[in-house]
């Protein structure tokens, strides 16, 4: 006679649901999925086996474990012998830390580090398995200026609500924007493409140095509006024109502009700044704090690997691509979550 699955009890089911809501390793999530379905008491054992792709014995083992040892016991991996992992404990944590910092350019670099720290040799294929198991993935590093000050960047994040509150004091309507500029030109942008192994892919190229600038401003919250301006060059007078465009988009509101400290940006006390605009500068050398950087990357991707006969033709294509990303739902997706949270707790929008 087959075993039945009695109810787990409300308290234990609650513990399972709380653990399920947290981020878990794949193996832990599989165990939680099994006992979660058992706790819901809606599926038969055969159905749970099919949904979770486990054996009948596994269903009962996980169920018995969570009943006798709780969720903590269920998520405790018991080592049953075999080869001892080369990386474990504090050494594995150190390896993951270096992986997150991008210290390994190749699998061979990770292999050399493991050999130096453990005096054990792992094959390169074995090292790749370790890298994948720990979430490693080959990525192209982003340029980071040597003068970047991480402490100042973190300080800016923490002080942003207070600064916004001070700028928005006694203002009935406040709109917060992030602003940046990107250069485009007839020199093609080359990006990766899908191709079959063993084939050499080419992209059209020409050496023509003619360019213009796209000014972009994205609203952090509220309507998630987008303002764009094409100009042949950049200087403080042109920057004043773009600030005036933002100010005139809603004359009855105060506009707080978060931007970098480029030399052609107007200083906070410049007379050319519109009366309903306030400037909030970012720390130096910190483009990762500005979501507009992502917007510029998407525009470059849209016009990559192509030749354009004239700057006007290129601008039409850029404008079409920009309008697609200027929709409110797309703008909302580009804004960093930390920035949206800080803006909401610092000033009304």
């Amino acid at each position: 006679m087959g075993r039945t699955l009695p109810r787990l009890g409300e308290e234990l089911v609650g513990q399972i649901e709380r653990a399920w809501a947290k981020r878990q390793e794949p193996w832990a999530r599989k165990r939680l999925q099994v006992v979660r379905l058992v706790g819901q008491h809606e599926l038969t054992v055969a159905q749970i086996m099919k949904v979770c792709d486990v054996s009948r014995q596994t269903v009962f083992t996980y169920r018995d474990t969570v009943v006798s040892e709780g969720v903590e016991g269920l998520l405790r991996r018991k080592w049953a012998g075999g080869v001892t992992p080369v990386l474990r404990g504090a050494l594995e944590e150190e390896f993951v830390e270096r992986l997150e910092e991008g210290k390994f350019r190749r699998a061979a670099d990770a292999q050399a580090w493991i050999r130096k720290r453990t005096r054990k040799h792992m094959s390169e294929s074995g090292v790749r398995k370790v890298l994948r198991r720990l979430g490693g993935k080959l990525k192209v590093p982003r340029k980071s200026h040597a003068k970047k000050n991480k402490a100042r960047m973190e300080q800016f994040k923490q002080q942003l609500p207070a600064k916004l509150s001070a700028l928005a004091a006694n203002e009935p309507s406040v709109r917060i924007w992030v602003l940046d500029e990107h250069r485009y030109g007839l020199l093609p942008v080359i990006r990766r493409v899908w191709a079959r192994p063993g084939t050499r892919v080419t992209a059209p190229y020409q050496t023509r140095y003619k360019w213009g600038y796209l000014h972009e401003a994205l609203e952090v919250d509220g309507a998630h509006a987008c303002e764009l301006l094409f100009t042949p060059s950049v200087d403080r007078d042109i920057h004043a024109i773009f600030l005036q465009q933002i100010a005139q988009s809603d004359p009855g509101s105060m506009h707080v502009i978060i931007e970098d400290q480029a030399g052609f940006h107007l200083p906070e006390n410049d007379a050319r700044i519109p009366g309903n605009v306030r400037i909030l500068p970012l720390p130096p050398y910190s483009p990762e704090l500005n979501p507009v950087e992502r917007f510029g990357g998407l525009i470059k991707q849209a016009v990559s690997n192509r030749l354009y006969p004239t700057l006007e033709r290129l601008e039409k294509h850029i404008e079409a691509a920009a309008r697609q990303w200027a929709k409110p739902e797309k703008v909302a997706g580009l804004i960093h979550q930390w920035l949206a949270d800080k803006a909401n707790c610092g000033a009304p929008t």
Side-chain angles (χ1 to χ4, degrees), residues 288-336:
E288 49 268 75
L289 294 181
N290 193 339
V292 187
E293 290 286 334
R294 301 168 66 185
F295 186 89
L298 292 167
I299 299 302
K300 287 184 178 180
Q301 181 69 31
V303 299
S304 63
N305 302 338
R306 300 183 184 183
L307 292 181
Y308 293 90
T310 64
L311 209 58
E312 291 74 18
R313 182 76 64 84
L314 173 59
E315 288 172 350
K316 287 183 179 179
H317 197 164
I318 290 176
E319 184 176 7
R323 292 302 174 190
Q324 290 297 317
W325 284 98
K327 298 175 181 178
E329 64 274 13
K330 295 292 185 71
V331 172
L334 292 172
I335 300 300
H336 299 152

Side-chain angles (χ1 to χ4, degrees), residues 157-295:
K157 290 183 179 181
Q158 299 302 322
Q159 295 179 351
L160 182 59
K163 290 181 178 180
L164 291 174
S165 295
L167 292 173
N170 302 321
E171 296 292 342
S173 176
V174 178
R175 301 181 69 175
I176 304 171
W177 303 77
V178 282
L179 179 150
D180 204 359
E181 305 82 16
H182 290 92
R183 187 172 71 169
Y184 57 88
L186 297 182
L187 193 68
V189 177
I190 305 300
R191 289 289 186 267
R192 294 185 298 176
V193 297
W194 285 99
R196 297 187 63 187
T199 60
R200 186 174 182 84
V201 182
T202 61
Y205 191 83
Q206 63 182 0
T207 306
R208 296 183 63 189
Y209 298 102
K210 191 174 183 181
W211 55 80
Y213 292 85
L214 175 62
H215 302 248
E216 310 116 337
L218 306 179
E219 190 176 7
V220 173
D221 204 354
H224 292 299
C226 176
E227 292 290 335
L228 303 172
L229 177 66
F230 288 92
T231 63
S233 60
V234 288
D235 57 33
R236 291 191 171 184
D237 289 333
I238 289 177
H239 186 240
I241 293 173
F242 190 46
L243 293 181
Q244 190 66 40
Q245 176 179 322
I246 296 172
Q248 291 177 354
S249 68
D250 186 0
S253 295
M254 175 62 68
H255 300 268
V256 178
I257 310 294
I258 301 174
E259 61 181 13
D260 59 35
Q261 301 183 41
F264 53 84
H265 284 175
L266 297 178
E268 299 174 65
N269 57 353
D270 195 287
R272 287 169 288 184
I273 296 178
N276 63 335
V277 169
R278 299 291 182 270
I279 302 298
L280 185 56
L282 289 165
Y285 312 111
S286 55
E288 49 268 75
L289 294 181
N290 193 339
V292 187
E293 290 286 334
R294 301 168 66 185
F295 186 89

Side-chain angles (χ1 to χ4, degrees), residues 66-224:
V66 79
V67 169
S68 60
E69 302 179 31
V71 174
E72 184 178 351
L74 178 71
L75 300 183
R76 186 186 306 119
R77 257 186 162 173
K78 302 178 179 65
W79 183 247
V83 179
T84 303
V86 175
L87 294 179
R88 62 185 187 278
L91 191 62
E92 181 177 305
E93 292 177 2
E94 184 181 350
F95 185 87
V96 170
E97 184 177 342
R98 294 183 66 84
L99 182 62
E100 291 176 347
E101 294 174 355
K103 298 295 185 181
F104 304 127
R105 292 178 301 158
R106 306 164 300 159
D109 296 334
Q111 182 187 40
W113 185 88
I114 292 172
R115 183 167 56 247
K116 181 179 179 180
R117 296 288 280 107
T118 66
R119 297 187 179 181
K120 294 181 180 179
H121 176 76
M122 288 185 67
S123 66
E124 198 164 316
S125 61
V127 172
R128 288 196 183 96
K129 289 180 181 178
V130 171
L131 288 167
R132 286 193 292 268
R133 177 175 63 83
L134 296 176
K137 183 179 179 181
L138 275 175
K139 293 185 175 182
V140 178
R142 176 176 181 161
K143 296 177 182 178
S144 179
H145 202 285
K147 295 182 180 180
K148 180 174 68 175
N149 189 322
K150 292 185 178 180
R152 290 189 64 180
M153 292 171 59
E154 189 60 33
Q155 185 182 38
F156 174 84
K157 290 183 179 181
Q158 299 302 322
Q159 295 179 351
L160 182 59
K163 290 181 178 180
L164 291 174
S165 295
L167 292 173
N170 302 321
E171 296 292 342
S173 176
V174 178
R175 301 181 69 175
I176 304 171
W177 303 77
V178 282
L179 179 150
D180 204 359
E181 305 82 16
H182 290 92
R183 187 172 71 169
Y184 57 88
L186 297 182
L187 193 68
V189 177
I190 305 300
R191 289 289 186 267
R192 294 185 298 176
V193 297
W194 285 99
R196 297 187 63 187
T199 60
R200 186 174 182 84
V201 182
T202 61
Y205 191 83
Q206 63 182 0
T207 306
R208 296 183 63 189
Y209 298 102
K210 191 174 183 181
W211 55 80
Y213 292 85
L214 175 62
H215 302 248
E216 310 116 337
L218 306 179
E219 190 176 7
V220 173
D221 204 354
H224 292 299

